[in-house]
């Protein structure tokens, strides 16, 4: 989405003749927004931590009504962990608070949750942190802001998004030079030093950043800070002559920041944060120009949710080469590039000379008569020596409405006003009373660039070309631009899918029955689930949900919740089913907005799911495993018995065979041997 237009301008400037530049800024719908919440978690901010825990979900829902592309992150800070900022007694390092109310060890800055679209992750992260403590009153907030700004990858800042940094504290801040108290003299280099766990590990080795250094980072990284601080330190952040607890004087943080917002800490609920950013955004332009080009006469016109800026470029002499002027709105990642060139030559067209040859008292040059001395007029026919004629001429040039000759927009010559002309401004009319820049503007252009500006009195009306209407010709009558011809269109036969009206070539989406708005170019996106919008207030009236009794009374005053009897409903149009997280039971609610009051009817009985006893499930699993094992053993035993019986039967059959024969073992030898003497005869 493009919010400032045009993006590139080619400007030709004649030395000594200023050139007006017009830009238009309009906040785009569903423009991505990154909001990082930076909270002081010292002991004095313990109560605010509880408020922030209740704020997370409400903040997410409120921002979703402004943009669907919204991400939320959370970080916390205290101070450097060296003397004299904390006590270095070992017991106090582990527990800087009292023994009766222990707390976590002190730390400088921790990125508790990088930017994420998951609101529940933010709520969980905030619920998991707790406060700590330090000795002195000022905190290390500038250390935390510096790391939160420059650690783009760790924080998950997106390039094409609005960057909001909410800084919440009830104390002043340390800045450059205060580190000497703890023996830290190395200047802050403005680089990222977060480890994999999100801790700022270089806090005790580098000094606090200076205000100027921090402001340069805020500007270069397009950060829009929102300061939610208590009344006792307001002057430290906003007053030019404020004095903090250390005696620092004349260095308010916001004095040097071009675009910032301020919220009293007691009122920084989500709706105020959203309103501070979305309803009346402060749009400031930063113009960077070379020395050869001067910028002046900056003005702004607010119209229909947009801001039109006008400023003047001028040069004193011809430029040797084209130069660039860079314009960017503070806090946004968009720039306008103006390529400036010098126009030093006269571009003169050859045209045919008038038939009277300039009345014989001048020469025809570049389309007009250049009169001789003593003669004036378009054709040099006016003799300035004719006194009576000159008086008559002046009477004919005087506007009867204003009584001014040619309305100081031209010269009277021979009874006619010769209007002064400029490169970017045309003055005309009988008495030079009309110019082409006094009409209404649209898109930064007079009459939307489709104008013929006419009028006998003030010339302030636009006469539009066919197919356009409006005071600034900003509204097209073409309806074809509102039809959705995509394959997944809800209803391509109706403009805006039947969920809106086609106005000026754009779809203006309707509200659903629950008060939520359709979204998208053709109103093709269904609105937020209405049930989710009213969930907390409906639940808390039944003494359940996220709100306690006090929050329910303050946040849900416009709700009238009744329990229906015998299921006799009044016919409210919206029907929702809610799940109570405390017991996982579901109950039905019907509601409708009547005269500004949300009328709600809920069923008297919840529908609760029944779950099996886990003990029985475990016993069943064990029994199943043992049973399957025994079955396998029995099957193995059965197969083995069958095999043994079969082999025994074969053995018996072979033992009954009658063809058994006797024999001797061929390798058997008797224990005695007999030898015979061949020489002996008996």
């Amino acid at each position: 989405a493009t919010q400032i237009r045009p993006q590139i301008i080619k400007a030709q400037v004649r030395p000594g003749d200023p050139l007006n530049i017009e830009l238009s800024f309009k906040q785009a719908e569903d423009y991505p927004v990154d909001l990082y919440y930076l909270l002081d978690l010292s002991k004095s901010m313990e109560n605010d931590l509880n408020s922030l825990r209740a704020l997370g979900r409400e903040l997410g829902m409120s921002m979703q009504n402004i943009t669907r592309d919204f991400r939320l992150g959370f970080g916390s800070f205290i101070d450097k962990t060296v003397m004299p900022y904390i006590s270095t007694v070992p017991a106090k390092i582990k527990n800087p608070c009292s023994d009766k109310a222990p707390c976590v060890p002190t730390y400088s800055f921790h990125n508790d949750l990088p930017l994420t679209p998951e609101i529940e992750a933010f709520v969980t992260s905030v619920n998991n942190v707790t406060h700590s403590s330090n000795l002195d009153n000022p905190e290390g907030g500038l250390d935390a802001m510096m790391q939160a700004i420059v650690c783009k990858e760790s924080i998950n800042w997106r390039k094409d998004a609005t960057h909001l940094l909410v800084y919440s504290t009830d104390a002043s801040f340390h800045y450059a030079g205060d580190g000497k108290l703890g023996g830290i003299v190395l200047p802050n280099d403005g680089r990222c030093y977060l480890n994999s766990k999100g801790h700022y590990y270089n806090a005790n080795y580098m000094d606090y950043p200076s205000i100027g250094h921090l402001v340069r980072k805020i500007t270069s990284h397009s950060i829009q800070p929102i300061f939610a601080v208590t009344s006792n330190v307001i002057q430290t952040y906003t007053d030019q002559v404020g004095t903090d607890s250390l005696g620092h004087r004349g260095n308010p943080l916001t004095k040097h920041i071009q675009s910032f917002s301020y919220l009293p800490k007691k009122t920084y609920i989500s709706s105020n944060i959203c309103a501070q950013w979305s309803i009346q955004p402060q749009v400031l332009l930063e113009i960077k120009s070379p020395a050869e080009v001067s910028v002046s006469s900056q003005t702004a016109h607010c119209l229909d949710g947009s801001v039109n800026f006008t400023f003047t470029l001028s040069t004193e002499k011809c430029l040797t080469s084209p130069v660039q002027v860079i314009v960017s709105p503070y806090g946004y990642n968009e720039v306008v590039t103006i390529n400036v060139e010098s126009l030093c030559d006269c571009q003169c067209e050859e045209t045919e000379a008038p038939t009277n040859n300039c009345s014989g008292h001048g020469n025809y040059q570049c389309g007009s008569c250049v009169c001789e001395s003593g003669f004036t007029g378009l054709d040099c026919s006016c003799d300035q020596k004719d006194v009576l004629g000159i008086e008559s001429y002046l009477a004919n040039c005087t506007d009867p409405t204003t009584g001014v000759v040619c309305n100081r927009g031209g010269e009277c010559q021979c009874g006619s006003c010769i209007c002064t002309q400029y490169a970017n401004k045309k003055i005309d009319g009988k008495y030079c009373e009309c110019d082409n820049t006094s009409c209404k503007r649209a898109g930064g252009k007079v009459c939307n660039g489709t104008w013929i500006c006419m009028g006998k009195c003030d010339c302030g009306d636009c006469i539009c070309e066919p197919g356009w209407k409006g005071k600034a010709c900003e509204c097209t009558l073409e309806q074809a631009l509102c039809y959705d011809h995509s394959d997944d269109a809800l209803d391509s036969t109706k403009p805006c899918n039947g969920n809106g009206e086609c106005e000026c070539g754009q779809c203006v989406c309707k509200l659903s029955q629950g008060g939520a708005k359709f979204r998208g170019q053709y109103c093709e996106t269904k609105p937020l689930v209405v049930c989710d919008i009213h969930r907390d207030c409906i639940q808390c009236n039944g003494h359940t949900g996220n709100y306690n009794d006090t929050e329910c009374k303050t946040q849900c005053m416009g709700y009238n919740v009744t329990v229906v009897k015998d299921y006799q409903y009044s016919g409210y149009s919206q029907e929702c089913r809610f799940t109570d997280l405390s017991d996982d039971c579901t109950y039905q609610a019907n509601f409708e907005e009547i005269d500004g009051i949300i009328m709600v009817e809920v069923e008297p009985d919840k529908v609760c799911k029944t779950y099996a006893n886990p003990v029985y499930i475990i016993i069943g699993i064990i029994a199943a495993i043992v049973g399957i094992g025994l079955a396998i053993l029995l099957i193995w035993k059965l197969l083995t018995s069958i095999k043994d019986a079969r082999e025994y039967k074969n053995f018996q059959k072979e033992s009954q065979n009658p063809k058994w024969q006797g024999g001797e073992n061929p390798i058997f030898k008797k224990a005695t041997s007999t030898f015979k003497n061949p020489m002996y005869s008996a």
Side-chain angles (χ1 to χ4, degrees), residues 75 141 225 266 272 325 343 424 433 510 514 535 577 647:
K266 293 182 180 179
N272 283 355
V325 176
L343 188 60
N424 58 347
E433 75 278 12
K510 297 178 180 178
R535 175 192 299 271
R577 294 184 179 273
E647 291 179 352

Side-chain angles (χ1 to χ4, degrees), residues 420-458:
T420 304
Q421 301 301 322
Y422 302 94
N424 58 347
K425 184 177 181 180
K426 180 181 179 181
I427 300 178
D428 56 13
K430 181 179 179 179
Y431 304 107
C432 298
E433 75 278 12
C434 180
D435 69 79
N436 61 356
T437 61
S438 61
C439 296
K440 297 290 184 181
R441 299 169 181 263
K445 298 180 180 179
V446 177
C447 297
N448 201 23
T450 60
W451 53 272
I452 304 173
C453 190
M454 298 180 63
K456 294 182 179 180
C457 296
D458 57 3

Side-chain angles (χ1 to χ4, degrees), residues 415-572:
S416 299
C417 287
I418 306 300
C419 302
T420 304
Q421 301 301 322
Y422 302 94
N424 58 347
K425 184 177 181 180
K426 180 181 179 181
I427 300 178
D428 56 13
K430 181 179 179 179
Y431 304 107
C432 298
E433 75 278 12
C434 180
D435 69 79
N436 61 356
T437 61
S438 61
C439 296
K440 297 290 184 181
R441 299 169 181 263
K445 298 180 180 179
V446 177
C447 297
N448 201 23
T450 60
W451 53 272
I452 304 173
C453 190
M454 298 180 63
K456 294 182 179 180
C457 296
D458 57 3
C459 301
D461 297 326
C462 293
I463 298 179
C464 304
E465 294 178 354
W468 295 85
K469 68 176 183 177
K471 293 183 178 180
C473 301
E474 75 281 5
C475 185
T476 178
L477 301 178
E478 181 60 53
Q479 295 262 331
L481 300 174
C482 295
Y483 284 86
D484 187 0
H485 300 291
S486 61
D487 296 336
D488 55 351
L490 300 177
D491 190 351
S492 59
T493 62
K494 296 180 180 179
C496 307
N497 287 290
N499 298 324
E501 300 292 338
C502 186
E503 296 182 6
C504 302
Q506 295 182 344
C507 287
V508 178
C509 300
K510 297 178 180 178
L511 299 178
S512 66
Q513 294 179 348
K517 186 179 180 181
F518 287 89
R519 290 177 177 268
Q521 181 180 359
Y522 303 106
C523 303
E524 73 279 5
T525 304
K526 294 182 179 180
L528 292 174
V529 180
V530 180
C531 300
D532 292 339
I533 297 176
H534 302 291
R535 175 192 299 271
D536 290 334
C537 285
I538 292 178
Q539 282 187 310
C540 75
N541 280 277
H543 302 288
T544 184
N546 297 315
Y547 289 162
N548 55 35
D549 292 340
T550 302
E551 293 172 331
C552 189
K553 292 179 181 179
T554 57
Q555 302 292 336
C556 308
M557 293 184 294
Y559 288 79
N560 186 354
V561 180
T562 58
V563 179
V564 296
K565 297 180 179 179
D566 300 327
Y567 302 97
Q568 296 296 323
Y569 294 101
S570 299
Y572 294 151

Side-chain angles (χ1 to χ4, degrees), residues 58-133:
E58 181 187 354
L59 180 62
M61 295 300 296
S62 298
M63 289 300 295
Q64 285 177 354
N65 291 329
I66 298 174
T67 174
R68 289 175 294 168
D69 194 357
F70 168 64
R71 300 200 305 178
L72 186 63
F74 170 64
S76 56
F77 67 91
I78 302 173
D79 209 341
K80 297 181 183 295
T81 55
V82 297
M83 281 289 290
Y85 314 113
I86 68 168
S87 173
T88 55
V89 177
K92 284 295 183 180
I93 292 178
K94 295 181 179 180
N95 176 25
C97 301
S98 63
D99 295 335
K100 295 182 179 180
C103 59
V104 299
T106 307
Y107 56 90
S108 177
F109 166 68
H110 182 239
N111 178 25
D112 298 282
L113 177 69
L115 292 164
T116 174
E118 301 296 332
I119 304 303
E120 293 300 327
F122 177 83
V123 176
T124 302
S125 177
V126 175
N127 288 338
N128 289 337
V129 300
T130 184
H131 69 281
S132 184
S133 183

Side-chain angles (χ1 to χ4, degrees), residues 33-37 59 63 70-73 115 164 166 273:
V33 176
D34 291 344
L35 191 151
Y36 191 78
Y37 208 103
L59 180 62
M63 289 300 295
F70 168 64
R71 300 200 305 178
L72 186 63
L115 292 164
L164 304 180
V166 180
I273 291 178

Side-chain angles (χ1 to χ4, degrees), residues 18 51 85 228 257 328 344 369 426 449 452 461 464 467 550 558 571 620 622 628:
S51 300
Y85 314 113
I257 299 177
S328 61
C344 296
C369 290
K426 180 181 179 181
I452 304 173
D461 297 326
C464 304
T550 302
I622 295 175
I628 293 173

